[in-house]
Amino acid sequence: MKNRKICITFSLLCLFLSLSYSYAQEKEQVPHKVQEERYTRKSITRMKLSVPSDVERIYKVADFLLGFDLTRFLEEKIKSAIEIERFDYNQVNVSANTDIETLARLVKEYVDAVKVDRAKAEAQIDWRFKDLVITADDIRKIADSAYIYSPKVKNLDVNVFIVPRNRRIEMTIWCSIGIEVAYYKVDFDTGKPILVFKTYDSQTERVKVGKIELLPLPFPFSLFGPEVDIIETPLDAFERCMVKAIFWVGGKINRSMRRIPDFALTAPIVNSSSFYVYSPLTKRDKVYIDSDFRVLERQEFERDGKKEEVFRSVGWVRARKVADGEKEVVSAFQILSGSPEVGHIIREYSLLNIGLVPSFYFLPSPGFSYESSSPNVSLPKSSSGGFAFSLGVKANFATAFSINVSEFYLISDLYLLAQKTVFELGGRVGLKKKFYFRNLGVNPSLTFDFARVLLPFTRTDVGVDVTAGDYILGISPALTFEWFFHPRFSIFAGGGYRFMTVAENFTYNLEGAEFSLEGARYNPSGIFFLGGFEITIW
């Protein structure tokens, strides 16, 4: 009891100190007199979405049977999911299957012609190179753009499963889509295309007709989330399935693009304080709370008589107060590592902040006792503490769900706890709040726990091994200390206390009959210690 009081008191004290310290940091005022620097928008030529022949057949079937224009649907959804909002995209009537070498050569011819006689070059009805024919309007758009954007649907698969269940039909729709995206720019000296970025990603999603998940998690994490009934048609469910798949694969591609220098949001640090740096990026630039930025130091050196410029990574910062871009033009970024200074550059490192959390637990308190004199049951009178392993997921409310709260996380996991006599197989779902003091994070959390308690033993009268079971529920407040290494990786350790129901109604089946195990009692409440690491995948 004394250890329990000490643990609870210590946890509350740490939570109070972390809240107080965080509040003190938040009170730092953003300087008003700082250098302003506007972000230059990039113009990008968007080619027509390309699909393989087998996908075109799905288009025709959907249009014929359902009256559903799948082509336009995919173009709109892929456009909104993948394209970077702060860039200007100009559509041209040129397929993404067009040979990029030929296109680049034609653009160079147009640019060379403009240098000689602009009026004559722009007066042409169309431009031709080999078998490629492009209207004058399209060739001007391509030549005036910084990049050429080529989107392709590489595969698309839809499956429907119908299962009779409880006098009703349950219909499940599975959608899978693979998308390839490439960005090029034209070298106007050689007429060759330069590949800037190319990636392929795919996603499979599953929806049940008439049911919708409460938590917007990607497959397979969505399988473990709660669902509610809705009224919808199979076509509505199909649209919902496709939107989910495109949203997740598009989000991954979009964030991969925004982590490379050509497309990453970049700005200088114009002021700094003990815990924050300030930079002229705002909501207009699509900066969100909890967005991660790499801090870079610009260095110059000479090579073959020419000055060249490189950037060296010197730390990480995370967006905390994002200016609206009207009344305020400077945002505050909390320092997570390194020593950022005025004049350094911050570059966007876009993540949804969804990932995996493997953890290890130790429960020192003995929880099992057996007080029966039955000669037919072979069980010890008590057991010592146990160890547990859990595999969980985390999702940041601000970056993953666009909920404007800083460092709040949805957490959920499945765990297996093993003691000498008793096993627990269960899960948790809850909330975690993080307070960072540079590399160190203080993270209070609260989870709702549910588990099946398993008690294997031997019925000595018949010589049969059986397993008795019961259910437990409860809540677990915890406090962990996290060490930040990278936006994708950190380690943590801490402890907490479990407030759980007592399992004492153990039952088991033997030869088709159900029996009660009298005298067995398992109290899982008590102190626990944990440690693990976080891996951010998306």
Side-chain angles (χ1 to χ4, degrees):
M1 181 62 73
K2 184 177 179 180
N3 290 337
R4 184 182 305 177
K5 290 181 179 179
I6 292 173
C7 180
I8 294 174
T9 303
F10 176 72
S11 299
L12 291 174
L13 178 61
C14 290
L15 177 59
F16 172 77
L17 290 175
S18 64
L19 287 169
S20 302
Y21 193 28
S22 175
Y23 177 76
Q25 293 185 58
E26 293 295 328
K27 293 296 286 183
E28 293 193 46
Q29 298 298 312
V30 179
H32 294 289
K33 295 182 179 180
V34 295
Q35 171 190 351
E36 292 187 35
E37 180 171 305
R38 297 183 61 82
Y39 181 78
T40 302
R41 299 180 67 89
K42 290 183 172 71
S43 178
I44 297 175
T45 293
R46 181 199 304 118
M47 303 175 77
K48 289 175 62 178
L49 181 69
S50 166
V51 297
S53 57
D54 56 336
V55 175
E56 286 182 349
R57 288 194 291 271
I58 297 178
Y59 281 10
K60 294 176 181 178
V61 171
D63 190 26
F64 178 76
L65 295 179
L66 304 173
F68 183 70
D69 191 344
L70 187 58
T71 306
R72 179 175 296 179
F73 175 82
L74 286 179
E75 285 180 345
E76 291 177 354
K77 300 306 177 184
I78 290 174
K79 174 183 174 182
S80 61
I82 292 180
E83 294 180 4
I84 299 176
E85 306 94 327
R86 60 179 172 267
F87 294 163
D88 296 318
Y89 287 81
N90 303 307
Q91 183 70 55
V92 294
N93 193 31
V94 180
S95 171
N97 280 332
T98 302
D99 180 58
I100 194 67
E101 296 274 352
T102 303
L103 181 60
R105 191 68 188 168
L106 186 57
V107 172
K108 176 177 170 29
E109 284 191 5
Y110 168 78
V111 172
D112 291 343
V114 167
K115 292 177 182 177
V116 176
D117 189 336
R118 173 177 290 274
K120 182 179 178 181
E122 293 183 348
Q124 282 190 227
I125 297 175
D126 55 47
W127 282 79
R128 302 164 183 264
F129 183 78
K130 295 183 178 179
D131 297 329
L132 182 61
V133 181
I134 302 180
T135 65
D137 184 53
D138 284 345
I139 196 69
R140 280 195 296 270
K141 289 180 181 178
I142 298 172
D144 292 340
S145 297
Y147 301 96
I148 302 172
Y149 162 52
S150 170
K152 297 179 181 179
V153 174
K154 302 297 286 186
N155 60 72
L156 176 66
D157 192 24
V158 180
N159 293 287
V160 180
F161 297 92
I162 300 176
V163 179
R165 182 167 295 175
N166 298 331
R167 298 182 180 180
R168 57 190 291 269
I169 298 297
E170 184 177 278
M171 182 183 294
T172 304
I173 300 175
W174 291 80
C175 301
S176 177
I177 189 168
I179 301 173
E180 179 186 276
V181 166
Y183 278 79
Y184 302 90
K185 58 184 177 182
V186 178
D187 186 335
F188 294 112
D189 293 329
T190 64
K192 297 288 186 180
I194 301 172
L195 179 62
V196 177
F197 173 82
K198 187 175 183 178
T199 188
Y200 168 83
D201 218 317
S202 62
Q203 180 72 20
T204 298
E205 285 295 339
R206 177 223 64 161
V207 301
K208 293 180 181 178
V209 179
K211 290 184 179 292
I212 189 170
E213 300 86 359
L214 287 178
L215 304 177
L217 295 174
F219 179 84
F221 304 123
S222 57
L223 295 177
F224 306 102
E227 298 176 326
V228 294
D229 293 332
I230 60 172
I231 298 175
E232 67 175 351
T233 65
L235 181 57
D236 294 333
F238 167 72
E239 287 189 35
R240 187 159 55 88
C241 186
M242 288 301 305
V243 168
K244 284 183 62 180
I246 293 171
F247 173 81
W248 286 110
V249 70
K252 288 186 283 184
I253 292 174
N254 180 283
R255 281 162 177 79
S256 295
M257 288 167 51
R258 288 159 57 179
R259 287 195 291 270
I260 68 172
D262 281 73
F263 303 118
L265 190 60
T266 304
I269 294 175
V270 296
N271 211 329
S272 64
S273 61
S274 302
F275 299 101
Y276 290 89
V277 297
Y278 305 94
S279 185
L281 293 174
T282 68
K283 291 180 180 178
R284 289 184 171 184
D285 302 313
K286 305 300 181 182
V287 176
Y288 305 100
I289 286 179
D290 291 352
S291 298
D292 289 304
F293 286 75
R294 187 193 298 270
V295 182
L296 302 171
E297 181 183 24
R298 181 188 283 111
Q299 296 179 336
E300 292 185 351
F301 66 96
E302 285 194 8
R303 177 183 293 176
D304 298 330
K306 295 182 179 179
K307 284 190 175 181
E308 294 191 8
E309 183 177 80
V310 295
F311 293 92
R312 183 175 67 91
S313 179
V314 294
W316 292 93
V317 296
R318 185 168 290 174
R320 288 291 181 249
K321 296 178 182 178
V322 182
D324 57 15
E326 296 176 359
K327 296 181 180 179
E328 299 176 333
V329 295
V330 175
S331 297
F333 299 81
Q334 186 179 6
I335 301 171
L336 297 183
S337 67
S339 300
E341 299 175 357
V342 174
H344 285 171
I345 302 296
I346 60 172
R347 178 184 291 166
E348 179 183 32
Y349 191 85
S350 181
L351 291 170
L352 283 175
N353 225 326
I354 297 176
L356 297 176
V357 186
S359 307
F360 299 90
Y361 292 77
F362 172 62
L363 292 85
S365 304
F368 174 74
S369 63
Y370 182 61
E371 300 175 355
S372 175
S373 57
S374 172
N376 299 327
V377 177
S378 176
L379 272 173
K381 297 300 180 182
S382 63
S383 71
S384 58
F387 292 89
F389 171 76
S390 76
L391 181 62
V393 296
K394 63 155 189 176
N396 183 289
F397 276 86
T399 53
F401 306 138
S402 300
I403 299 175
N404 200 32
V405 291
S406 179
E407 295 295 356
F408 263 100
Y409 290 79
L410 174 69
I411 54 175
S412 179
D413 68 10
L414 297 175
Y415 72 90
L416 173 64
L417 185 149
Q419 297 189 21
K420 185 176 181 181
T421 307
V422 183
F423 297 87
E424 284 184 39
L425 183 61
R428 283 183 283 259
V429 62
L431 298 173
K432 178 186 287 187
K433 169 69 176 173
K434 295 187 177 184
F435 301 95
Y436 279 109
F437 315 106
R438 289 187 179 266
N439 297 67
L440 179 65
V442 180
N443 310 332
S445 64
L446 181 66
T447 58
F448 170 72
D449 303 7
F450 50 93
R452 172 75 170 172
V453 181
L454 303 175
L455 180 59
F457 66 96
T458 302
R459 275 284 298 265
T460 55
D461 54 337
V462 292
V464 176
D465 293 331
V466 296
T467 301
D470 194 9
Y471 292 96
I472 55 174
L473 300 171
I475 59 172
S476 297
L479 185 70
T480 57
F481 297 90
E482 175 187 358
W483 188 259
F484 172 93
F485 290 97
H486 188 276
R488 288 190 179 274
F489 182 76
S490 60
I491 61 175
F492 63 87
Y497 195 91
R498 305 174 83 198
F499 297 92
M500 305 291 290
T501 58
V502 177
E504 48 191 357
N505 298 313
F506 288 94
T507 59
Y508 62 94
N509 291 314
L510 180 62
E511 297 180 351
E514 185 175 83
F515 297 87
S516 296
L517 182 62
E518 302 294 338
R521 188 175 188 273
Y522 177 64
N523 182 6
S525 297
I527 295 172
F528 65 88
F529 303 96
L530 76 156
F533 49 93
E534 293 187 3
I535 305 171
T536 300
I537 300 175
W538 298 302

